[in-house]
Amino acid sequence: MATGDIYSLYLEEITPTGDALGRFEGKTIFVKGGAPDETVNCRITEERKTWSKAELLEITKPSPVRTDSVCKYYGKCGGCNLAHINYDAQLAVKRKILKDSFLKTSGQPPPEIITIDCNLPWEYRNRIQFHCLRNNYSFGFKEQGSGEIIHVSDCPVAVHGIREFLSKPKNPREKSFSIPPEKDRFTVFSKDDVFLNEGGQKRGKIKLLDREILVDTEVFFQSNCFMLEKFILELKKEACKADQSLPMADLYGGVGTFALFLCDFFPGIILAEENKTAVSAARENLRGKDAEFFTLKDTDWQKILTHKISRCGFAVADPPRAGLAQKLAVSLAQTGPPVLAYVSCDPASLARDSKILTDGIYKLKKLDFFDFYPQTSHIESLAVFELKSTTPL
């Protein structure tokens, strides 16, 4: 097998990267744009000892779940990677990826995975990052495979406010919008009648469920507010079952989203977050609440916050894709609170951290898959851990 060789290949499944997987004489081949249960002709583009990558040339037997994408940039833009299979199939693919991550890491399957799908598989995304094209005062997304920036005039996964923003010509003298001069990429956020961007008004309040929350385009905020509301309601159910005589901890707390909705259940809040801008917004969101704020890297939490976290009745952790800092994970596995809600954006790091936690004081009570990002292989989930020595809550 060599680069440039062409093969007919049966594709079995979708991998965590969104590529389809096939095998030739026992060797794994990843085919971008392929679908499960499909036969294709493909050309090898990258050759390694144990695996190869290939480009799809021709579909000789289409998958029963293959569909046409509504996006005119699909296949060129590097954003979405599952829009060529129908939505039910996307959900099945992601459930399997999540389950397989646990099997691979621990050899044990997780609890039954509950799926919370998105009622809006298109026009759902409230927050988007664009890359700058300064030579003509425009912007777009990275091209698939090349890293070049392609200008876009629409994005069907974006909410109406962002799609409308994309469709209008931009004027460099327009006061409400400008590309930040010091950045190669910038963020816009839209919900209801609120539109924020890093080159203009970057902070504003939006409505989530029954509350207003301050968001800042310079720091992370969940990109699907519709699913975020579903997620918050599920977190509240878990918080209601915890010991409400003790404080709660919000780890990787961002602008304080979860703390804002859970604080009424607990006498106090400990919020830890590395980003100073996010903590500034969190202070505003939790104004009047009994809250302590710690602006620290997660590598320092284990030695500074362990005793405070261990005295909480409930904790929610929402780490980045890399998962929990290793020392923090080990510390929680030894002296964590009775209930720990782990918000994950990466099945592999969740499975790794879950093994550390369950090798310690915890058992994994439930695992929910929330489909925040239809048309992509991105997976968000909620894992709830409780102490092994307690009766189920």
Side-chain angles (χ1 to χ4, degrees):
M1 184 175 290
T3 301
D5 287 352
I6 296 175
Y7 295 93
S8 176
L9 204 65
Y10 172 74
L11 303 178
E12 303 169 14
E13 60 184 0
I14 301 290
T15 68
T17 64
D19 294 341
L21 180 151
R23 303 179 198 277
F24 185 81
E25 295 181 351
K27 188 170 187 177
T28 299
I29 302 176
F30 300 103
V31 182
K32 190 174 293 294
D37 193 19
E38 182 166 82
T39 304
V40 302
N41 291 329
C42 60
R43 178 188 290 117
I44 303 299
T45 58
E46 185 176 347
E47 173 67 9
R48 298 295 179 91
K49 186 176 181 180
T50 58
W51 54 268
S52 300
K53 286 185 178 181
E55 62 177 334
L56 192 155
L57 299 177
E58 180 186 17
I59 301 168
T60 55
K61 184 181 177 183
S63 166
V65 300
R66 180 172 282 278
T67 189
D68 293 326
S69 171
V70 304
C71 179
K72 61 184 177 181
Y73 301 104
Y74 186 66
K76 187 176 183 183
C77 167
C80 299
N81 57 6
L82 291 185
H84 60 287
I85 64 176
N86 67 48
Y87 188 55
D88 286 343
Q90 292 180 30
L91 294 175
V93 161
K94 290 191 257 194
R95 271 195 306 270
K96 186 176 187 304
I97 290 171
L98 184 55
K99 181 179 179 180
D100 287 351
S101 295
F102 278 79
L103 286 169
K104 181 179 179 180
T105 300
S106 66
Q108 299 294 323
E112 179 186 0
I113 298 172
I114 305 300
T115 299
I116 297 89
D117 64 8
C118 183
N119 295 16
L120 303 166
W122 295 99
E123 209 167 88
Y124 64 80
R125 192 169 181 123
N126 302 91
R127 177 180 181 269
I128 287 184
Q129 279 195 332
F130 292 106
H131 294 265
C132 301
L133 286 162
R134 297 190 182 280
N135 57 339
N136 60 358
Y137 197 75
S138 67
F139 45 86
F141 299 123
K142 283 191 175 182
E143 185 177 26
Q144 187 181 110
S146 75
E148 295 293 321
I149 310 304
I150 57 171
H151 171 74
V152 296
S153 59
D154 191 19
C155 179
V157 297
V159 294
H160 177 73
I162 295 178
R163 296 187 75 178
E164 188 176 52
F165 164 74
L166 285 171
S167 68
K168 295 178 179 177
K170 304 299 177 294
N171 184 341
R173 293 181 293 276
E174 185 181 347
K175 292 183 178 180
S176 63
F177 170 78
S178 63
I179 294 176
E182 74 285 3
K183 294 191 174 184
D184 292 325
R185 60 183 183 177
F186 64 97
T187 302
V188 300
F189 183 96
S190 178
K191 185 179 187 299
D192 303 324
D193 59 350
V194 175
F195 186 88
L196 308 172
N197 70 86
E198 284 188 88
Q201 182 182 344
K202 68 186 186 71
R203 271 194 175 194
K205 289 190 174 182
I206 63 168
K207 187 76 175 292
L208 280 180
L209 295 172
D210 61 344
R211 305 195 177 188
E212 282 193 334
I213 183 168
L214 179 70
V215 298
D216 190 315
T217 53
E218 289 189 345
V219 297
F220 175 78
F221 192 82
Q222 275 290 0
S223 303
N224 185 335
C225 291
F226 174 76
M227 289 299 293
L228 178 58
E229 290 180 333
K230 288 188 175 186
F231 200 96
I232 289 167
L233 292 174
E234 195 61 35
L235 270 181
K236 289 178 75 171
K237 291 179 185 178
E238 298 302 324
C240 283
K241 303 171 188 175
D243 186 346
Q244 296 178 25
S245 68
L246 300 172
M248 66 158 284
D250 190 351
L251 308 177
Y252 306 90
V255 300
T257 306
F258 297 140
L260 176 64
F261 286 91
L262 302 179
C263 62
D264 292 343
F265 299 114
F266 303 99
I269 307 157
I270 295 164
L271 186 144
E273 165 61 48
E274 176 182 352
N275 188 286
K276 293 180 180 179
T277 303
V279 173
S280 169
R283 289 180 182 275
E284 177 66 26
N285 286 323
L286 296 170
R287 187 183 297 276
K289 307 297 183 182
D290 184 4
E292 291 184 87
F293 300 90
F294 296 87
T295 311
L296 301 166
K297 291 185 177 181
D298 60 356
T299 50
D300 294 327
W301 297 353
Q302 182 268 339
K303 58 186 178 183
I304 295 174
L305 294 177
T306 295
H307 67 290
K308 288 183 175 289
I309 296 171
S310 66
R311 294 173 186 172
C312 291
F314 179 84
V316 55
D318 186 7
R321 183 170 295 274
L324 301 173
Q326 186 175 13
K327 289 183 179 179
L328 174 63
V330 171
S331 174
L332 289 171
Q334 295 170 346
T335 60
V339 181
L340 172 64
Y342 187 131
V343 183
S344 168
C345 61
D346 182 74
S349 59
L350 171 62
R352 179 203 67 210
D353 291 343
S354 177
K355 187 173 189 311
I356 294 172
L357 295 170
T358 55
D359 281 347
I361 62 175
Y362 288 110
K363 59 184 175 182
L364 177 56
K365 185 180 77 168
K366 65 177 293 188
L367 180 60
D368 294 343
F369 156 47
F370 286 79
D371 194 32
F372 273 76
Y373 301 104
Q375 319 309 328
T376 81
S377 58
H378 190 90
I379 298 171
E380 295 274 339
S381 53
L382 171 63
V384 179
F385 298 88
E386 64 178 19
L387 300 181
K388 292 175 181 176
S389 58
T390 62
T391 55
L393 294 172

